[in-house]
């Protein structure tokens, strides 16, 4: 890993053998980007890769000029990185190189979340300072390159150093100019209960984007975007990923210009943003991660998973095995008392579950979703001995006790709202739009964050709580803060999310042993910003196994297994009404952090035996399921797809588990082999199947197989016609590969 500065060419080269980023200070002092992609040799000049010379657009007839942090009004008509209005109302800016620093390690962006290093030798950071002479606007651009990771972390600090204030209208985290347009844009889109569906489109001239203006990153689009070559697939070909470490409104946009080049930008959504910089003030953008892969989408996912799991998530729970939980929500909803909860916990404990989570309904007088958010006081009608009483009964069973909270919200029917109606987000004189009968607290106001810190500290200290599910169940409407002047209302959304981060920071620091799981009506805020505080997230409210195939597949593009909460629930499924076999529900939920979201006290003896065996199986292979290398094999997206499969390889490579899923069953099945990936060709694996050993498909694959055979010939998934007739829809099989011989030499 090196960052090289060649003063003669005025060229920077960040490289680690996996990725190269080459920048050059052009003749007019602007900072250009000559290359971002496959690693190039260091110690060489690359100025010929860009316009040479480039002394500004004056009298320039045309051509592609790649910039690092482009500004409008001076000849570049593509989407800008930075739009700032000076005292004269003009927005044109000429950012010129002033100086730079190269340092070991990586600086923190606090109060924003960001990736980090544990040792300075893990990364190097280049900071380039650009300035606009007329306005005194200064931009510090940071580029961090990590040892052994094919990615660059980017952020910027924008400072007003002149005598006059400056108003930021757009402040992107990263802009990347690529020299052609032969790309397919890959995004994650969806809605409540069907998050993270993979959507793809070939780039066309003009602008195409994914974004959120909901006040959170949102279920609609994820702050993630990839570009792949048309021929790139999971395992082969070039691709880039762009990921924003941020939980608020964002924009990820690609623009194809008149010269056949592509500009990609990622950052805070500009239409819902502005920021006032008084003289001496600074604004820091969220961090963006840019990944390059020559090994297909797998290369992107491997890089993001490793970074997010090991150098974004933090705290006690980052590396620890995560407990198998039972959640009370779909078991009891709002209808429970202490005895009922203990009954559920006892029954779950008998099945091997390790953590009982008390979901919504334990506070105020919350018998349904019309009241009490904000009143974080235990409901003694339901829990006469308080949280402590019920938590102690649960922990006495040998389980952890977890609790649901939704800190950022307030119900109009709550003591908190009656005492502080002005703490709810809203515009004076304008009716507030309610969603799920609730309003959003103004997290940009320090007194609100202080209040929540106090009351939630009391709650979390009041009982032996080892897990918190932190929910957030609505979007923001009528955005306005009484804590801001009318001129500063453009700062509302960013200040709001900074307040959320501050509360997260305080509570996670105060309670380092609590495992936090974020949630926003499921995956409505499943983003890297949240992962910096909560190492796992509730992937979706949708627990239907078939829907989850798509949701977990899509989520896995960017996020590691250790971050994905996945639960087995009852049938008919509460979101789709679909009936799937219990084994299939488990075979999908295993790939992530397993939980159960059902009433274990109403199960039949057969179901109890099955679930007990599932929990034991998962516990035995927890490392594969939670920390394994996730490899996507057959996609549930695109066309008529009834076959879905994926696998996970344990960190030590000794065990792999393959999940094979059938959506609708078909008569007269076609010949089918499933070729695996990422095994050691010369290793021999003992293959066994799950859940049943006398199944013909499992029997056909049971035995010793070489990695070479499993990758080149594959698992045999042929089905005899008569056997296929017995399978029905929605079946699943797992294949467990245990390495029995390690390769020699
Ligand atoms: C949200 C969550 C659910 C559950 C309910 C409780 O919808 O996503 O898992 O916690 O709130 O009200």
């Amino acid at each position: 890993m090196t960052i090289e500065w060649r003063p003669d060419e005025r060229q920077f080269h960040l490289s680690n053998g996996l990725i190269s980023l080459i920048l050059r200070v052009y003749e007019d002092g602007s900072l250009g980007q000559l290359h971002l992609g496959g690693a190039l040799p260091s110690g060489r000049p690359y100025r010929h890769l860009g316009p040479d010379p480039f002394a500004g657009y004056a009298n320039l007839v045309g051509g592609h000029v790649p910039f690092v942090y482009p500004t409008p009004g001076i000849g570049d008509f593509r989407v800008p990185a930075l739009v700032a209005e000076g005292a004269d109302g003009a927005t044109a800016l000429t950012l010129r190189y002033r100086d730079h620093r190269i340092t070991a390690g990586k600086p923190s962006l606090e109060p924003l979340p960001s990736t980090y290093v544990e040792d300075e030798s893990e990364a190097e950071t280049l900071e380039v300072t650009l300035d606009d002479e007329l306005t005194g606007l200064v931009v510090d651009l940071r580029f961090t390159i990590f040892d052994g990771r094919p990615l660059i972390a980017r952020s910027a600090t924008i400072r007003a150093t002149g005598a006059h204030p400056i108003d930021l209208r757009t402040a992107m985290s990263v802009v990347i100019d690529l020299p052609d347009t032969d790309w397919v844009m890959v995004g994650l889109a969806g809605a409540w209960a069907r998050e993270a569906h993979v959507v793809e489109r070939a780039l066309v001239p003009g602008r195409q984007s994914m974004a959120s203006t909901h006040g959170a990153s949102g279920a609609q689009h994820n702050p993630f975007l990839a570009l792949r070559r048309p021929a790139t697939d999971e395992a082969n070909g070039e691709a880039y990923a762009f990921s924003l470490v941020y939980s608020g409104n964002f924009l990820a946009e690609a623009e194809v210009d008149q010269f056949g080049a592509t500009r990609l930008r990622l950052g805070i959504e500009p239409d819902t943003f502005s920021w006032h910089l008084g003289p001496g003030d600074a604004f820091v953008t969220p961090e963006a991660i840019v990944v390059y892969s020559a090994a297909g989408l797998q290369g992107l996912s491997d890089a993001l998973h490793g970074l997010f799991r090991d150098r974004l998530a933090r705290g006690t729970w980052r590396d620890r095995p995560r407990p198998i939980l039972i959640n009370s929500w779909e078991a009891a909803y709002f209808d429970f008392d202490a005895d009922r909860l203990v009954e559920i916990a006892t029954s779950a404990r008998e099945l091997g579950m390790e953590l009982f989570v008390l979901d919504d309904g334990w506070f105020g007088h919350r018998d349904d979703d019309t009241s009490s958010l904000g009143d974080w006081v235990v409901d003694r009608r339901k829990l006469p001995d308080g949280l402590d009483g019920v938590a102690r009964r649960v922990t006495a069973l040998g389980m952890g006790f977890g609790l649901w909270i939704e800190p950022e919200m307030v119900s109009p029917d709550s003591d908190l709202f009656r005492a502080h109606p002005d703490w709810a987000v809203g515009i004076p004189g304008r009716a507030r739009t309610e969603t799920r009968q609730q309003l959003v607290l103004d997290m940009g106001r320090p007194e609100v964050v202080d209040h929540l810190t106090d009351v939630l500290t009391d709650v979390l200290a009041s009982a032996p709580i080892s897990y918190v599910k932190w929910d957030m169940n609505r979007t923001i409407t009528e955005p306005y803060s009484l804590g801001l002047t009318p001129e500063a209302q453009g700062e509302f959304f960013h200040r709001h999310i900074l307040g959320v981060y501050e509360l997260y920071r305080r509570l996670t620091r105060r309670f380092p042993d609590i495992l936090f799981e974020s949630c926003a009506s499921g995956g409505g805020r499943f983003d890297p910003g949240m992962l910096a505080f909560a190492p796992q997230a509730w992937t979706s409210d949708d627990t239907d196994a078939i829907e989850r195939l798509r949701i977990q597949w899509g989520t896995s593009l960017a996020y590691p297994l250790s971050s994905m909460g996945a639960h087995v629930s009852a049938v008919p499924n509460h979101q789709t009404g679909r009936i799937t076999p219990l084994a299939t529900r488990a075979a999908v939920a295993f790939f992530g952090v397993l939980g159960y979201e059902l009433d274990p006290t109403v199960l039949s003896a057969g179901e109890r035996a099955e679930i007990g065996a599932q929990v034991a199986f998962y516990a035995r292979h927890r490392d594969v399921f939670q920390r394994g290398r996730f490899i996507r094999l057959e996609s549930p997206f695109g066309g008529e797809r009834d076959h879905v499969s994926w696998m996970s390889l344990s960190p030590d490579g000794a065990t792999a588990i393959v999940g094979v899923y059938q959506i609708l069953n078909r008569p007269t099945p076609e010949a089918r082999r499933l070729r695996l990936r990422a095994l050691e060709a010369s290793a021999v694996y003992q293959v066994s199947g799950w859940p049943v050993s006398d199944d013909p498909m499992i029997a056909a694959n049971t035995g010793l197989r070489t990695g070479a055979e499993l990758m080149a010939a594959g698992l045999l998934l042929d089905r005899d016609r008569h056997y296929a007739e017995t399978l029905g829809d929605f079946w699943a099989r797992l294949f467990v590969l245990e390495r029995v011989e390690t390769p020699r030499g």
Side-chain angles (χ1 to χ4, degrees):
M1 165 192 68
T2 54
I3 298 181
E4 184 185 77
W5 164 241
R6 292 171 71 90
D8 293 353
E9 281 88 19
R10 302 213 289 174
Q11 171 191 299
F12 299 99
H13 184 173
L14 295 80
S15 179
N16 60 6
L18 300 168
I19 187 171
S20 270
L21 171 63
I22 303 176
L23 314 175
R24 188 168 91 80
V25 180
Y26 294 137
E27 282 63 27
D28 68 346
S30 58
L31 188 63
Q33 181 210 282
L34 303 188
H35 173 77
L36 171 67
L40 300 179
S42 51
R44 299 187 59 82
Y46 289 104
R47 57 186 299 161
H48 51 275
L49 290 180
D52 183 17
F54 177 72
Y57 279 103
N59 300 315
L60 192 74
V61 178
H64 167 57
V65 183
F67 291 109
V68 172
Y69 212 64
T71 50
I74 54 168
D76 181 346
F77 293 96
R78 295 163 293 179
V79 290
L82 177 67
V83 181
E85 200 177 300
D88 57 3
T91 54
L93 281 175
T94 36
L95 291 179
R96 300 288 183 247
Y97 170 83
R98 187 205 273 179
D99 56 22
H100 73 268
R101 291 152 298 284
I102 296 172
T103 51
K106 179 174 190 295
S108 158
L109 296 183
E110 210 170 305
L112 284 163
S114 61
T115 60
Y116 59 90
V117 292
E118 290 199 323
D119 186 297
E120 292 217 325
S121 65
E122 291 175 21
E124 263 189 279
T125 298
L126 165 68
E127 189 172 68
V128 182
T129 297
L130 309 176
D131 62 10
D132 177 65
E133 207 185 319
L134 189 66
T135 58
L137 188 90
V138 172
V139 181
D140 305 310
L141 298 173
R142 281 175 295 276
F143 310 79
T144 297
I145 185 154
F146 296 80
D147 201 21
R149 301 183 193 274
L151 53 87
I152 306 275
R154 290 282 314 268
S155 64
T157 299
I158 301 150
R159 299 183 274 136
T161 66
H164 300 290
I166 293 175
D167 287 293
L168 302 183
R169 304 276 179 239
T170 299
M172 287 289 132
S173 298
V174 69
V175 169
I176 299 292
D177 280 334
L178 297 171
D180 70 276
T181 66
D182 194 22
W183 297 105
V184 174
M185 179 169 142
V186 183
L188 300 176
W192 171 76
R194 58 179 163 76
E195 298 86 345
H197 283 42
V198 177
V199 287
E200 298 196 321
R201 55 190 133 158
L203 292 184
V204 293
R207 295 158 64 168
Q208 38 249 290
S209 65
M210 310 287 280
S212 172
T213 56
H214 287 76
S217 49
Q220 294 71 21
H221 295 172
N222 197 274
F224 162 85
L225 198 107
L227 295 178
R228 66 165 177 85
R229 293 294 185 190
T232 293
D233 60 17
E234 284 292 335
N236 302 290
E238 263 199 316
Y240 292 89
F242 306 87
S243 171
L244 192 66
V245 186
Y246 192 57
S247 310
N249 294 343
F250 73 93
L251 172 69
E253 183 172 49
E255 181 181 16
V256 168
D257 71 13
Q258 58 179 333
F259 301 113
T262 302
R263 171 166 289 174
L264 201 299
R265 63 174 184 164
L266 181 64
I268 294 177
E269 202 282 326
D271 288 348
T272 51
F273 168 84
S274 67
W275 200 270
H276 182 75
L277 293 178
D281 287 351
F283 178 80
V284 182
T285 73
E287 175 169 77
I289 308 295
V290 181
V291 189
Y292 172 75
S293 164
L297 301 179
Q298 182 73 47
L300 302 181
S301 299
D302 285 344
L304 289 174
H305 292 182
L307 183 73
F308 291 168
R309 190 182 53 225
D310 302 331
R311 292 293 180 267
L312 176 62
R314 63 200 76 206
T316 326
W317 282 98
R318 185 189 70 182
D319 302 333
R320 279 175 52 185
R322 310 285 172 69
I324 302 166
L325 65 82
I326 172 87
N327 181 296
S328 70
W329 182 238
E330 290 193 11
Y333 292 103
F334 295 102
D335 185 17
F336 57 80
D337 59 19
D339 289 343
R340 178 83 187 100
L341 297 179
V342 173
E343 202 176 76
I344 293 171
T346 306
S347 176
R349 183 65 193 137
E350 285 162 11
L351 302 177
M353 296 176 208
E354 301 157 337
L355 168 70
F356 173 82
V357 179
L358 171 52
D359 208 281
D360 198 353
W362 59 267
F363 51 91
H365 56 96
R366 191 156 162 97
D367 295 328
D368 54 34
D369 61 13
T370 61
S371 83
S372 305
L373 292 170
D375 296 346
W376 301 108
V377 177
V378 69
D379 182 352
R380 299 239 169 215
R381 294 172 311 158
K382 292 180 185 171
L383 305 175
D385 298 324
L387 277 178
D388 190 47
V390 71
R392 286 191 189 285
R393 288 173 70 189
V394 168
T395 53
L397 299 168
M399 305 178 91
F401 180 81
L403 193 66
W404 179 96
I405 54 175
E406 197 182 358
E408 301 148 61
M409 297 294 152
V410 62
S411 305
D413 177 9
S414 68
D415 292 341
L416 182 67
F417 185 74
R418 282 182 282 273
H420 298 283
D422 60 308
W423 282 9
V425 170
I427 301 170
R430 194 177 288 282
R432 293 180 175 105
T433 304
E434 288 181 19
T435 302
R436 208 191 188 204
Q437 293 83 230
Q438 65 195 58
L439 301 170
V440 184
L441 288 172
D442 185 352
M443 300 296 289
R445 284 170 71 177
E447 62 270 38
V448 173
V449 175
D450 288 346
H451 167 81
L452 291 171
T453 308
D454 291 346
V455 296
L456 291 168
T457 298
D458 287 349
V459 169
L460 299 182
S462 72
I465 293 168
S466 57
Y467 163 104
V468 162
K469 176 175 169 186
W470 181 317
D471 211 339
M472 194 288 289
N473 279 316
R474 62 157 291 179
T475 51
I476 295 179
T477 54
E478 295 82 36
Y480 193 90
S481 173
L482 292 174
L484 295 172
T485 62
E487 302 76 46
Q489 292 299 328
E491 301 179 13
F492 170 85
F493 279 107
H494 185 61
R495 287 193 185 279
H496 186 86
I497 209 72
L498 289 178
V500 173
Y501 288 148
E502 178 59 22
L503 185 61
Y504 251 112
R505 185 173 294 109
R506 291 181 189 177
L507 293 177
T508 51
R509 282 190 184 156
R510 170 71 179 76
F511 297 97
D513 293 327
I514 291 183
L515 169 61
F516 283 80
E517 175 160 341
S518 76
C519 175
S521 308
R525 202 165 61 183
F526 197 138
D527 60 56
M530 282 292 124
L531 289 182
F533 299 100
Q536 61 190 60
W538 181 220
T539 313
S540 177
D541 273 355
D542 196 336
T543 51
D544 177 278
I546 302 307
E547 296 299 311
R548 275 291 184 131
L549 288 173
R550 297 190 192 95
I551 294 167
Q552 291 176 209
W553 176 287
T555 302
S556 83
L557 248 56
Y559 305 103
L561 291 174
S562 58
S563 68
M564 277 195 246
H567 296 180
V568 173
S569 60
V571 289
N573 177 269
H574 293 199
Q575 293 76 40
T576 60
R578 188 176 286 134
I579 296 176
T580 53
L582 183 51
T584 300
R585 284 173 264 154
V588 176
F590 282 164
F591 289 84
V593 180
L594 178 67
Y596 286 77
E597 180 119 6
L598 44 68
D599 182 354
T601 65
V602 299
L603 297 171
S604 69
E607 288 169 325
R608 286 181 67 78
E610 217 181 316
I611 290 181
Q614 291 171 358
V615 170
F617 178 81
Y618 181 87
R620 185 159 72 246
H621 297 295
R622 196 186 313 244
D623 216 31
V624 186
F625 290 129
Q626 294 186 351
R627 302 190 62 82
R629 181 178 179 206
F630 189 65
I631 296 163
R632 294 174 295 265
L633 298 171
E634 292 174 298
S635 171
F637 294 103
E640 190 190 330
R641 294 290 175 97
D642 283 318
H643 297 153
V644 180
S645 60
W646 56 43
M647 62 187 278
S648 180
L649 189 64
S650 66
D652 65 1
T655 310
I657 301 184
V658 184
V660 174
Y661 311 92
Q662 177 87 16
I663 299 181
L664 296 183
N665 198 23
R666 311 297 306 275
T668 319
E670 295 143 5
R672 192 172 168 219
R673 295 275 181 90
L674 179 65
R675 293 168 60 169
L676 308 183
R677 296 208 313 269
L679 300 172
E680 288 169 64
S682 57
V684 175
Y685 297 87
Q686 173 70 51
V687 180
S688 60
W690 187 92
V692 273
S693 55
D694 58 351
D695 171 76
M697 199 186 310
I698 286 175
N701 291 286
T702 300
L704 295 174
R705 303 282 188 274
T706 62
E709 178 189 323
L710 292 166
M711 291 191 288
L715 292 170
L716 310 177
L717 301 183
D718 290 338
R719 277 144 294 146
D720 155 80
R721 177 167 76 86
H722 300 295
Y723 166 56
E725 284 165 4
T726 69
L727 285 169
D729 293 333
F730 315 131
W731 54 263
R733 298 286 183 272
L734 299 185
F735 295 91
V736 181
L737 282 49
E738 283 161 306
R739 193 175 58 195
V740 292
E741 287 172 27
T742 37
R744 285 197 201 93

